[in-house]
């Protein structure tokens, strides 16, 4: 089955698309053949509207409804192009993550999560069945609904012949938010959680410092010119999120556009320029290394846009060396066969395949829970068929409807006690 995965992350930098040919053998081995990946820029005005709708903004429901449509249409256009560009004109299914607009976390639990991008509009453009809304079923089962990548990491890296014999592999994705999955051997339970900010705080600082000329610190050029401010770094690392136990998830609701300014207001209100960028870069590296400290990690497989920032990767390497394991290997997912820019899009292709086959989309975690913290394994996503479903289609048009009684006749419902006079609304 050829599945096209579509995703846009918390950075809202682009729509990522990746196509994979997936097949499941009777021995339980899932073969994934990456066919190709690409990205499509968001139209500038729509990107602006999405960014304006993210926390801490308060948006009205009209804006949410309009964004759902506009994002769905754009994902649909991207999907249609991607079927030609990377899937050779052929795809059986499109799996869309959508655009996270709000991830509702209360204390240690995720209560809800909202990804916009109407699947009906995607299906209208791609003329294929669409699976979407992957996160919420896991949330309903008591999980965080994020990060979802642990199932890919467990299936893929758990059977990697080059895996270290003497310790764990940590798969690290540095997108807007950074997340890790700790993987041992095949069938070992895995742990996955968001470590905190990846690039999201960096992107905000760079856009502010350059009056919007730069959207991110390309190749770490600004961070390379700055010096880490240890007082500011300590104040940033002092957030209780970093010391909370896994599994946990977060988003721009916590690490929003005003976060750094607010946290530094009392200690370093004047920190700016390359020193600020260097400090925020170090925050990502240090919070990842702190999260892995005390765990037997021997190899870190990095993906996401952060893998393209050499200063961040160097800081990470140094922090892992100090805090996790001297000589801890750092490799990119590219080196193991999944492109750093497209791992998330391939993840959604995998999740689409699993859901289409009625298979759960989360990995086994610890304490008889899923890696996301859910109580049970659930099939993720909602299906928008776009055409006939796998059961027989109707052969005649529908012209009218009649009410019929069941063979045993309608069973009268117990009317219960006679209601007294109704006061006001009963809803
Ligand atoms: N050459 C580069 N140098 C520095 N940073 C880069 C470079 N390329 C990408 N990035 C960073 O990566 C970010 C995009 O990463 P990515 O697409 O993985 O994040 P995302 O869309 O938020 O995904 P996720 O779903 O993981 O949250 C950019 O916003 C930028 O900060
Ligand atoms: Mg992205």
């Amino acid at each position: 089955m050829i599945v096209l995965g579509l995703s846009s992350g918390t950075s809202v930098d682009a729509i990522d698309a990746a196509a994979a040919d997936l097949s499941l053998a009777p021995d339980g081995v899932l073969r994934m053949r990456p066919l190709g990946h690409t990205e499509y820029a968001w139209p500038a005005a729509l990107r602006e509207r999405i960014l304006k709708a993210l926390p801490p903004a308060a948006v009205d429901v009209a804006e949410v409804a309009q964004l759902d449509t506009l994002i769905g249409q754009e994902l649909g256009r991207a999907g249609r192009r991607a079927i030609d560009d990377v899937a050779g004109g052929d795809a059986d299914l499109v799996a869309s993550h959508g655009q996270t607009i709000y991830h509702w976390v209360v204390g240690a639990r995720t209560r809800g999560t909202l990804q916009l991008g109407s699947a009906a509009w995607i299906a209208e453009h791609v003329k294929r069945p669409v699976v979407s809304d992957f996160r919420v079923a896991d949330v309903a089962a008591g999980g965080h609904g994020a990060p979802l990548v642990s199932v890919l990491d467990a299936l893929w890296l758990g059977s990697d012949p080059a895996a270290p014999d003497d310790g764990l592999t940590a798969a690290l994705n540095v997108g807007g938010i950074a997340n890790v999955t700790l993987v041992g051997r095949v069938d070992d339970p895995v742990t996955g959680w968001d470590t905190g900010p990846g690039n999201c705080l960096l992107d905000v600082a760079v856009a502010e410092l350059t009056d919007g000329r730069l959207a991110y610190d390309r190749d770490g050029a600004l961070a390379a010119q700055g010096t880490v401010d240890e007082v500011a770094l300590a104040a940033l690392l002092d957030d209780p999120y970093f010391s909370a136990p896994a599994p946990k998830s977060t988003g721009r609701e916590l690490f929003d556009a005003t976060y750094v300014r607010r946290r530094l207001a009392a200690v370093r209100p004047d920190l700016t320029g390359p020193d600020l960028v260097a400090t925020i870069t170090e925050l990502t590296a240090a919070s990842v290394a702190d999260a892995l400290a005390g765990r037997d990690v021997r190899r870190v497989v990095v993906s996401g846009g952060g893998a393209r920032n050499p200063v961040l990767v160097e800081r990470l390497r140094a922090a892992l060396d100090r805090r996790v394991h001297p000589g801890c290997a750092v490799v990119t997912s590219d080196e193991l066969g999944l492109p750093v820019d497209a791992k998330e899009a391939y993840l959604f292709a995998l999740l689409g395949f699993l859901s289409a086959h009625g298979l759960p989309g989360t990995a086994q975690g610890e304490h008889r829970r899923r890696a996301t913290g859910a109580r049970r394994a659930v099939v993720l996503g909602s299906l928008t068929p776009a055409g006939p479903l796998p059961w027989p289609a109707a052969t005649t048009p529908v012209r009218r409807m009649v009410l019929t009684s069941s063979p045993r006749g309608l069973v009268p419902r117990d009317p219960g006690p006679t209601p007294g006079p109704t006061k006001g609304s009963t809803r």
Side-chain angles (χ1 to χ4, degrees):
M1 173 185 260
I2 296 180
V3 187
L4 178 75
L6 293 175
S7 77
S8 173
T10 40
S11 305
V12 203
D13 56 319
I15 299 171
D16 297 312
D21 190 358
L22 294 127
S23 60
L24 179 59
D27 60 0
V29 175
L30 179 65
R31 290 193 166 71
M32 179 198 251
R33 189 161 63 93
L35 298 177
H37 68 94
T38 186
E39 62 171 46
Y40 303 101
W42 284 104
L46 180 55
R47 177 169 194 264
E48 207 50 39
R49 267 177 88 167
I50 297 170
L51 289 173
K52 272 205 185 122
L54 297 179
V59 284
D60 65 18
V61 126
E63 180 65 3
V64 174
Q66 290 175 23
L67 282 175
D68 191 37
T69 299
L70 297 173
I71 293 170
Q73 290 169 335
E74 200 54 40
L75 291 172
R77 280 190 277 271
R80 196 175 50 202
R81 286 176 64 188
I83 289 173
D84 287 332
D85 292 350
V86 296
D90 201 11
D92 302 295
L93 179 73
V94 173
S96 171
H97 170 254
Q99 178 65 55
T100 297
I101 200 95
Y102 198 84
H103 189 65
W104 184 22
V105 179
V106 182
R109 281 194 52 206
T110 293
R111 303 279 307 274
T113 186
L114 181 62
Q115 285 73 44
L116 297 186
S118 156
W121 274 109
I122 302 174
E124 177 61 26
H125 280 84
V126 301
K127 306 282 189 274
R128 307 280 200 292
V130 175
V131 183
S132 60
D133 239 347
F134 284 93
R135 297 190 187 274
V136 72
D138 183 72
V139 173
H144 277 274
L148 289 179
V149 72
S150 49
V151 69
L152 170 68
D153 293 328
L155 292 172
W156 175 45
L157 297 172
S159 46
D160 173 17
D165 316 315
D166 52 350
L168 303 171
T169 292
L172 169 69
N173 191 71
V174 187
I177 296 294
N179 62 62
V180 289
T181 312
L182 290 185
V183 185
R185 285 282 157 197
V186 189
D187 296 334
D188 284 356
V190 302
T191 326
W193 71 98
D194 287 338
T195 56
N199 296 296
C200 63
L201 301 179
L202 261 175
D203 289 357
V204 167
V206 169
E208 270 177 24
L209 292 173
T210 62
D211 282 330
R213 274 183 300 105
L214 295 181
Y216 62 95
D217 186 19
R218 182 179 284 270
D219 301 337
L222 285 169
Q225 296 165 35
T227 306
V228 174
D229 183 310
E230 295 296 338
V231 172
L233 178 65
L236 292 168
L237 282 171
D238 197 31
D239 191 302
Y241 182 79
F242 297 120
S243 47
K248 59 183 173 177
S249 66
T250 188
R252 285 183 176 243
E253 302 69 33
L254 176 60
F255 298 107
D256 69 25
T258 63
Y259 180 87
V260 170
R261 286 277 153 243
R262 280 187 285 115
R263 286 206 76 89
L264 297 187
V267 288
R268 283 286 191 269
D270 301 328
L271 186 62
T272 185
D275 289 353
L276 177 64
V277 180
T279 304
I280 302 175
T281 303
E282 183 67 28
L283 171 67
T284 295
S287 56
V288 169
D290 286 354
L292 298 178
R295 316 223 187 205
D296 196 17
V297 174
R298 300 298 168 95
R299 178 174 72 153
V300 177
V301 180
V302 193
S303 59
R308 301 224 167 270
N309 181 336
V311 177
L312 174 57
V313 173
E314 212 29 63
R315 295 273 179 198
L316 178 69
R317 207 184 285 276
L320 291 169
D321 226 53
R322 277 196 314 272
R323 303 275 290 123
V324 181
H325 199 273
C328 178
V330 178
V331 296
T332 61
S333 65
D334 279 337
E335 294 167 57
L336 303 181
L338 277 185
V340 291
D341 299 321
K343 188 180 167 203
E344 295 271 299
Y346 279 115
L347 162 68
F348 287 101
L350 168 67
L351 291 177
F353 177 89
L354 294 173
S355 299
H357 290 83
L359 295 166
T362 51
Q364 180 63 50
E366 288 171 328
H367 313 299
R368 300 172 63 201
R369 295 228 161 203
R370 308 305 289 174
T372 53
R375 290 180 299 276
R376 57 196 184 84
V378 284
V379 179
L380 306 179
S382 304
L383 175 66
T384 303
L389 274 170
W391 47 81
T395 49
T396 51
V398 179
R399 294 205 181 86
R400 63 197 182 104
M401 189 182 90
V402 292
L403 293 178
T404 59
S405 55
S406 69
R408 281 172 289 127
L410 286 175
V411 182
R413 287 179 55 195
D414 178 3
T418 313
T422 319
K423 276 199 196 128
S425 165
T426 52
R427 276 195 297 164

